[in-house]
Amino acid sequence: VRILIADALPPSSISAIEAGGSTCELRPELRGDALAAALPGVEVLVVRSTTVDGPTIAAADRLQLVVRAGSGTNTIDTGAATDRGIAVCNVPGRNATAVAELTFALMLSLDRNVPDAVADLRAGRWDKARYSKARGLHGRDLGVVGLGATGMAVAARAHAFGMQVHAIGRADRDAQVLASAESCEVRFVADLAELAQRCDILSFHVPLTPDTRGLISRELLARCRDGAWIINTSRGELVDDDALIEAMDTRGLRAGLDVFNGEPQGGTGTFDSALARHPNVYGTHHIGASTEQAQQAVADEVVRIIGAFADGHLLHCVNDVAHPATDTDTDTERDDRRRSR
Ligand code: MLT
């Protein structure tokens, strides 16, 4: 199988893929037209941050599979791939722990104002008076939006911190989710509006879809308590930036954000975002999934997906393609994908 990897992948994973008889070309710098120009002859394309849009897909002549080395597939034009009979597979759940850990880094930062405290110390200012003011996380009400692998990992950690976790009750939640939720003493509410009203903190763990785009809207923010915190480690497009800025300016809301509307695709670059600059925001650089552990776990799964594909099977396929390969996902994997939507 001829494979183009248009993002970073550990050398050990490339060796493992090539040991299976495939050939890999590692071109992490490819974007846009250059990516399209490199596609003829390629059968499998592996990407992480790199966007695979309609024109890129149209430039491919032998492409059968696009692997997204992460859980979200919003950077792939899945519709264009489906029209061309190209399978799109993701790597669900393997970076859930890392994202949950960053969620807590953001929550703890908001509570103790760690980033400002560090900045003051570096500037030679001692201010125990200001930084002694914190409510603590114990006993606070956390609303987890999305009970896929990441949402559940956040719920489990929140329970260990002595927080009360709330989530939206849905008739189609399966037994496994309900059992995990019960072990974290999750309280279910009717809908997102009620979740916002009940909670001190809302943390979002849903993929970007037409339903979730703009979910953190003026209307939702109006339901939040004054001074509530919004944590978003999913996708920037969930947020109506103007509405969140207004809620922070007028009602003291604060936010821990790892993702932003219009964030750069690459690893470095300039980024001008009024939301990211706002003093009520502690922002990070879309690094939720970026621990060594998570990146290795994702890379291992990419190797497994490609191995299965070479053997005629599709793992974690997110689109509906008439492919000769058999979907060998387990019921649990299929359920997890459905839940996280
Ligand atoms: C994901 O979709 O799993 C992450 O956003 C991956 C990333 O950091 O690019």
Side-chain angles (χ1 to χ4, degrees), residues 52-54 57-58 63-66 73 76-89 314 317-323:
V52 183
D53 57 14
I57 284 174
L63 193 61
Q64 295 174 53
L65 171 66
V66 178
T73 52
I76 319 280
D77 189 335
T78 309
T82 308
D83 291 345
R84 297 278 309 277
I86 298 165
V88 177
C89 295
L314 288 176
C317 185
V318 301
N319 60 340
D320 193 11
V321 283
H323 193 277

Side-chain angles (χ1 to χ4, degrees), residues 7-8 51 69 94-95 105 120 132 164 185 189 206 219 256 307 328 336:
D7 261 310
T51 297
R94 301 304 189 276
N95 54 31
D120 273 348
S132 295
Q164 176 59 60
E185 297 179 56
V189 300
V206 290
E219 190 190 6
T328 55
D336 193 55

Side-chain angles (χ1 to χ4, degrees), residues 84-269:
R84 297 278 309 277
I86 298 165
V88 177
C89 295
N90 70 342
V91 178
R94 301 304 189 276
N95 54 31
T97 298
V99 178
E101 288 174 355
L102 185 73
T103 299
F104 268 82
L106 292 168
M107 273 197 269
L108 289 163
S109 292
L110 285 167
D111 193 45
R112 299 298 186 105
N113 292 297
V114 175
D116 290 332
V118 170
D120 273 348
L121 274 183
R122 286 189 178 160
R125 282 189 295 272
W126 181 259
D127 197 348
K128 182 165 175 165
R130 175 181 171 200
Y131 295 112
S132 295
K133 295 187 187 103
R135 269 186 63 183
L137 294 186
H138 190 271
R140 295 182 77 180
D141 290 293
L142 170 68
V144 175
V145 183
L147 280 185
T150 307
M152 281 309 316
V154 169
R157 282 153 184 76
H159 184 55
F161 268 72
M163 302 175 85
Q164 176 59 60
V165 181
H166 305 257
I168 300 165
R170 274 183 9 204
D172 63 347
R173 293 229 185 267
D174 61 55
Q176 195 195 334
V177 173
L178 292 174
S180 304
E182 195 181 338
S183 70
C184 303
E185 297 179 56
V186 173
R187 289 189 191 151
F188 286 107
V189 300
D191 53 27
L192 186 55
E194 188 183 346
L195 198 66
Q197 278 158 354
R198 275 182 189 259
C199 293
D200 306 302
I201 309 164
L202 286 183
S203 190
F204 290 80
H205 305 285
V206 290
L208 178 64
T209 67
D211 288 344
T212 62
R213 187 178 288 276
L215 190 64
I216 305 172
S217 62
R218 187 162 271 109
E219 190 190 6
L220 178 69
L221 293 165
R223 306 260 183 188
C224 290
R225 298 174 176 177
D226 288 354
W229 301 347
I230 302 293
I231 311 289
N232 185 16
T233 52
S234 294
R235 287 293 181 262
E237 293 87 343
L238 262 56
V239 181
D240 176 338
D241 286 15
D242 292 342
L244 182 52
I245 289 171
E246 187 184 305
M248 292 191 297
D249 284 342
T250 58
R251 297 176 38 239
L253 269 71
R254 299 177 69 202
L257 307 174
D258 184 44
V259 287
F260 295 90
N261 276 299
E263 67 184 38
Q265 240 188 76
T268 55

